């Protein structure tokens, strides 16, 4: 992957730091009124997001994702470092940042439930300062864009969770932002609705609308299906950045599954263990069909060499494939790797 030049980056964060006063008990506050303790939430975070990119933020709770989003949204000032959106500094030029970046607050209560979907959009368009004619035109166009044309005259109270999420996206698009911030947008959706919403984000928001999207998520499907690149945060630091494939390599994910004739299962396992190429972890199957063996291959070994050795030892191999690493395992390994480093 080519290195990103500064002029390619729509969002650029360099050595960003932020700390907050730690919460204390009432008794401790009375006993030590002048004692202040701080919690470092961001500790030198650096990352860049290219124009038109779908960029994901991963990490355990408390990693700093929400604070980073608040700083980019100009809701919180950083203590150190810089953050720029379309060249504008979030601390010195907040008005310029707000013209190009919009956070999508996944809160259905921020909509007016007794108004229709179209009336909601027209109301918020007016609040954004659009003229009456522009508000009607923009609202009419966006209600179609997000696939709510058939429900435009229904009260929002009758909308499903997925429909409300689409309306929130439409509201965010009223100001024609270049960057959208999404914080776990599908957490309240069922699996089918979440899948449809992810498709909508990729096909409509990024491809057709041309928005750059920053996504904070704990959902594996969102991360792997949507994001061009990912950054893993832990304790306020970026521990890894790259595509899912690059991060899997970095995490040392070289787990494979060998499917062999059932009668050759034990022979295959013995061969793999003996040669030291394949640390067999498990074997499953029955004697009348095929047996599968899961294990790990060393970083210096080519999978083709493993298959060649099995075949040369008389093992009938039906399949030898790499096992995908789950998002939870990927994040856990990268976080552990970052803490050791």
């Amino acid at each position: 992957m080519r290195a990103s030049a500064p002029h390619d980056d729509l969002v650029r964060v360099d050595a960003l730091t932020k700390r907050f006063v730690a919460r204390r008990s009432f008794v401790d506050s009375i006993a030590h009124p002048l004692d202040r303790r701080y919690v470092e939430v961001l500790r030198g975070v650096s990352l860049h997001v290219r124009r038109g990119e779908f960029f994901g933020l991963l990490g355990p709770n408390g990693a700093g994702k929400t604070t980073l989003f608040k700083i980019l949204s100009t809701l919180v000032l950083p203590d150190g470092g810089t953050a720029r959106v379309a060249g504008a500094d979030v601390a010195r030029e907040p008005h310029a940042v707000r013209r190009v970046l919009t956070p999508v607050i996944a809160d259905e209560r921020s909509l007016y439930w007794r108004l229709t979907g179209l009336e909601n959009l027209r109301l918020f368009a007016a609040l954004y300062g659009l003229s009456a004619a522009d508000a009607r035109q923009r609202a009419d166009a966006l209600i179609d864009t997000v696939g709510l044309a058939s429900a435009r005259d229904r009260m929002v109270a009758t909308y499903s969770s997925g429909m409300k999420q689409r309306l929130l996206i439409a509201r965010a698009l009223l100001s024609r932002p270049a960057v959208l911030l999404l914080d776990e947008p599908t957490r309240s959706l069922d699996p089918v609705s979440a899948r449809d919403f992810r498709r909508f984000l990729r096909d409509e928001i990024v491809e057709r609308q041309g928005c750059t999207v920053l996504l904070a998520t704990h959902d594996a499907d969102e991360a792997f299906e949507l994001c061009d690149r990912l950054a893993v945060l832990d304790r306020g630091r970026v521990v890894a950045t790259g595509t899912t494939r690059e991060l899997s390599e970095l995490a040392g994910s070289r787990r494979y599954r060998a499917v062999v004739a059932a009668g050759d299962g034990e022979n295959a396992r013995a061969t793999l263990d003996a040669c030291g190429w394949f640390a067999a972890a498990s074997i499953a199957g029955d004697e009348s069909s095929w047996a599968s063996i899961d294990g790990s291959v060393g970083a210096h070994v080519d999978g083709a060499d493993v298959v060649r050795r099995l075949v040369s030892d008389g093992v009938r191999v039906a399949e030898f494939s790499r096992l995908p690493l789950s998002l939870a395992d990927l994040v856990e390994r990268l976080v552990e790797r970052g803490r050791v480093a």
Side-chain angles (χ1 to χ4, degrees), residues 13-35:
V13 175
D14 293 297
L16 207 63
T17 62
K18 183 64 184 178
R19 66 176 185 169
F20 294 104
V21 176
R23 292 183 177 180
R24 296 188 294 158
S25 68
F26 178 75
V27 173
D28 189 33
S29 298
I30 295 298
H32 307 282
L34 301 180
D35 185 15

Side-chain angles (χ1 to χ4, degrees), residues 15-16 25 41 67 95 112 144 159 174 222 241 252 311 313 322:
L16 207 63
S25 68
V41 181
T67 299
H95 294 294
Y112 290 92
D144 292 336
Y159 281 18
L174 284 168
E222 284 182 359
T241 305
V311 173
D313 285 357
R322 190 166 186 167

Side-chain angles (χ1 to χ4, degrees), residues 185-206:
T186 63
R187 62 187 172 193
S188 62
L189 304 183
D190 62 81
V192 175
S193 298
R195 180 198 61 196
D196 293 342
F197 190 72
R198 288 193 296 270
R199 187 180 299 120
F200 158 73
L201 289 175
R202 168 59 75 181
D203 296 345
E204 182 61 42
I205 302 305
V206 175

